[in-house]
Amino acid sequence: MAFDEIFQTLKFRNLTVKNRVFRSNVSGRFDNYDGSGNQARINWEVKFAKGGVGAIISSFVPVHPRGRIVPNYATIDDDNRIPFWTKVGEAVHAHQCKYILQLSHGGRQRDIQGIQYPKGLSSTGKSDPSNGFPCEAMSPKDIDETVKAFADGAWRAREAGLDGVELHGANGYLITQFLSSAINDRTDKYGGVLLNRARFVLDIVHAIRDRVGPAFHLQMKISVQERNDAVATFHLGPSGNSAEESVQVCKWLEEAGVDAIHVSTGSFFPHPRNPAGVDLPVEELEKTFDTMISSGDRAFRNYLIFRSLPEVARRQWQDAAPKPHEIEGALLPDARTVKAAVGIPVICTGGFQTGSVIAGALKRGDCDAVSIARPLIANNDLVEVFRRGHDRADRPCTYCNRCLVNVVENPLGCYEESRFPSRDAMVAQIMSVFNPPPFV
Ligand SMILES: Cc1cc2nc3c(=O)[nH]c(=O)nc-3n(C[C@H](O)[C@H](O)[C@H](O)COP(=O)(O)O)c2cc1C
Ligand code: SF4
């Protein structure tokens, strides 16, 4: 089979990418505690560049240390970070692959808060309902400083020679906390009607354009449907933004100078629909969730829920998730809705790993590119598999989500033992990210 649609170049306003497969945002806690980066991150990104993806979109890169979600994720909060990101970009560019850095701020939603800032910042003073980390509602001064931190981050990414930036406006992090009708409870000009809730991200876009000009690629990842009420046990409140509201936000983003939209879902992370799994890996979760128990006042409660009520939690989670055969391309209807409303390219995430499915979506015009996380963790060379004419890798990703639940405690890699000849082979694959070694 030839998948011509996959291998067409994609031209954004300010960036050309050699094919239609992007590595979606994903990384392990490979970097240093202080937010500096090391060789392991470079090794990680190079795996995918070598494997043939057109562009890599980095994982969550905090624009400020207070915006970190776990320690050991490299940041872009200071000019002294620029040389590291230059090295990452050069290593990836050596394989004709582009690198887009995800400018991020966790706000109140964090997994492990670290020692620097026990309290998060948010649109609201209500703590994150998943883990219960305390937070403060941002003052006008906090908002101005954070907007500037995003703009400075974009400027540093450009100085580092990277190919663009993505705003992490999805999955419950700070930008979602402003956008979401389920989370934002402000009464000032940043809360209330949709335009007010969108003001924070639009301020960021304007500040970035003022700082870097019109010629640097800028895209936004957004949860088109928030589905905040997906799991009843967690009492997270109303459903949040609808597709209609998010489409309006995308139109405003385009007008403000955003070059592409990256479609995702969910007002919190992980969410039953992102990344959607065949089952909730409760036993694996019990092994790693202890890392977070001492951090937030709800993490322990959720741990007990997982331990004592696995069936209830599991059933609600799975009821809210797509059926296993619907995981691949589950967000294509949202991508289609956004694409019909905007003139800029649309990238869609969610379960992609079959050449004919991706080519079909591109051919129909549902989206202009797909982004892939877990199936590329499982098969780093998936694009080369398609180039050889195969529809799927020999050992596809099973969507078991074991990689996801291990990431807070262990190095990121594929943890589905059934995909490997032995446990040793699985561990060797996980540990390969430390070769060449991060420290000498
Ligand atoms: C371990 C793990 C870490 C992730 N980290 C991020 C992240 O830092 N930023 C982000 O926007 N999405 C993140 N995601 C979501 C993925 O980028 C992707 O959108 C989602 O997993 C759906 O794609 P997939 O089905 O190809 O995995 C993460 C997903 C996984 C599994
Ligand atoms: S552990 Fe491996 S098979 Fe399971 S979801 Fe992650 S990448 Fe896919």
Side-chain angles (χ1 to χ4, degrees):
M1 247 184 281
F3 303 113
D4 296 342
E5 293 83 3
I6 295 178
F7 293 99
Q8 279 168 11
T9 56
L10 175 56
K11 281 192 179 16
F12 297 96
R13 199 152 43 197
N14 293 307
L15 172 68
T16 301
V17 174
K18 69 181 173 188
N19 63 43
R20 304 301 179 105
V21 177
F22 289 51
R23 204 291 312 278
S24 197
N25 325 76
V26 78
S27 182
R29 294 176 55 192
F30 304 134
D31 304 302
N32 304 323
Y33 194 93
D34 66 354
S36 57
N38 66 45
Q39 183 65 35
R41 161 80 66 148
I42 297 173
N43 298 343
W44 175 254
E45 306 294 33
V46 164
K47 280 172 186 262
F48 304 97
K50 265 189 189 161
V53 297
I56 289 174
I57 321 175
S58 81
S59 62
F60 190 106
V61 181
V63 294
H64 189 278
R66 198 162 180 181
R68 298 174 84 180
I69 48 172
V70 286
N72 307 89
Y73 262 23
T75 60
I76 190 133
D77 61 313
D78 192 285
D79 291 357
N80 67 16
R81 305 295 189 211
I82 295 172
F84 171 68
W85 290 110
T86 304
K87 274 193 195 163
V88 175
E90 284 170 357
V92 165
H93 289 159
H95 301 277
Q96 294 73 50
C97 177
K98 305 290 186 188
Y99 197 81
I100 298 168
L101 184 136
Q102 188 179 50
L103 297 173
S104 311
H105 193 299
R108 67 177 189 169
Q109 182 171 280
R110 302 192 276 181
D111 298 313
I112 300 169
Q113 84 271 51
I115 57 170
Q116 286 167 292
Y117 292 99
K119 258 192 169 182
L121 286 174
S122 184
S123 62
T124 172
K126 291 190 189 133
S127 57
D128 150 43
S130 311
N131 292 322
F133 292 121
C135 71
E136 286 165 29
M138 287 164 79
S139 66
K141 184 167 168 279
D142 294 328
I143 291 178
D144 290 348
E145 284 172 4
T146 308
V147 167
K148 182 173 178 310
F150 273 95
D152 289 345
W155 178 82
R156 290 180 192 121
R158 196 190 63 177
E159 289 302 293
L162 305 182
D163 302 290
V165 286
E166 173 176 279
L167 295 179
H168 197 347
N171 311 145
Y173 298 107
L174 183 61
I175 293 176
T176 313
Q177 290 159 33
F178 274 86
L179 282 176
S180 176
S181 60
I183 301 172
N184 185 335
D185 56 3
R186 302 179 78 89
T187 52
D188 63 4
K189 66 178 183 179
Y190 291 96
V193 296
L194 185 62
L195 183 57
N196 282 358
R197 303 199 308 272
R199 196 179 302 281
F200 177 61
V201 69
L202 293 173
D203 283 358
I204 292 172
V205 173
H206 292 306
I208 290 178
R209 284 295 175 220
D210 284 349
R211 190 87 161 91
V212 301
F216 188 53
H217 179 77
L218 167 61
Q219 63 185 47
M220 159 96 171
K221 194 172 192 185
I222 186 167
S223 290
V224 173
Q225 295 195 55
E226 291 189 340
R227 301 175 190 269
N228 186 57
D229 55 354
V231 188
T233 303
F234 297 133
H235 309 295
L236 300 186
S239 62
N241 291 1
S242 63
E244 202 183 359
E245 288 171 298
S246 297
V247 162
Q248 179 57 65
V249 173
C250 293
K251 287 185 187 169
W252 288 329
L253 289 168
E254 181 179 14
E255 278 166 28
V258 163
D259 298 313
I261 301 292
H262 186 181
V263 167
S264 184
T265 196
S267 66
F268 52 94
F269 187 84
H271 184 279
R273 301 186 76 84
N274 179 58
V278 288
D279 196 2
L280 193 61
V282 175
E283 297 75 20
E284 202 88 5
L285 198 57
E286 284 178 8
K287 277 190 251 162
T288 55
F289 205 75
D290 59 319
T291 304
M292 304 197 290
I293 282 176
S294 59
S295 305
D297 61 14
R298 294 213 180 77
F300 187 57
R301 183 202 69 177
N302 289 343
Y303 178 70
L304 293 178
I305 288 172
F306 282 125
R307 280 198 72 102
S308 57
L309 291 174
E311 279 317 309
V312 176
R314 204 173 190 143
R315 208 173 335 107
Q316 287 179 352
W317 191 278
Q318 280 319 122
D319 285 352
K323 301 281 164 281
H325 66 280
E326 293 166 347
I327 290 175
E328 181 158 12
L331 302 184
L332 281 173
D334 289 343
R336 250 196 317 269
T337 307
V338 174
K339 200 165 157 47
V342 298
I344 49 180
V346 172
I347 304 162
C348 185
T349 197
F352 293 103
Q353 63 173 336
T354 310
S356 53
V357 172
I358 299 169
L362 295 169
K363 201 170 180 175
R364 283 193 306 274
D366 293 350
C367 57
D368 300 281
V370 299
S371 76
I372 306 181
R374 295 165 300 167
L376 276 168
I377 298 175
N379 292 289
N380 302 163
D381 64 342
L382 193 55
V383 174
E384 290 310 315
V385 170
F386 298 149
R387 195 187 296 282
R388 290 196 295 272
H390 300 291
D391 203 24
R392 273 204 150 191
D394 289 342
R395 289 171 187 263
C397 168
T398 64
Y399 308 119
C400 69
N401 270 343
R402 291 194 169 89
C403 51
L404 175 76
V405 298
N406 270 282
V407 76
V408 285
E409 196 158 298
N410 297 318
L412 187 57
C414 180
Y415 282 78
E416 172 67 289
E417 219 176 305
S418 70
R419 295 191 55 255
F420 296 88
S422 64
R423 182 173 160 75
D424 285 352
M426 180 186 86
V427 171
Q429 165 264 149
I430 294 165
M431 295 304 283
S432 68
V433 73
F434 299 110
N435 186 23
F439 304 105
V440 283

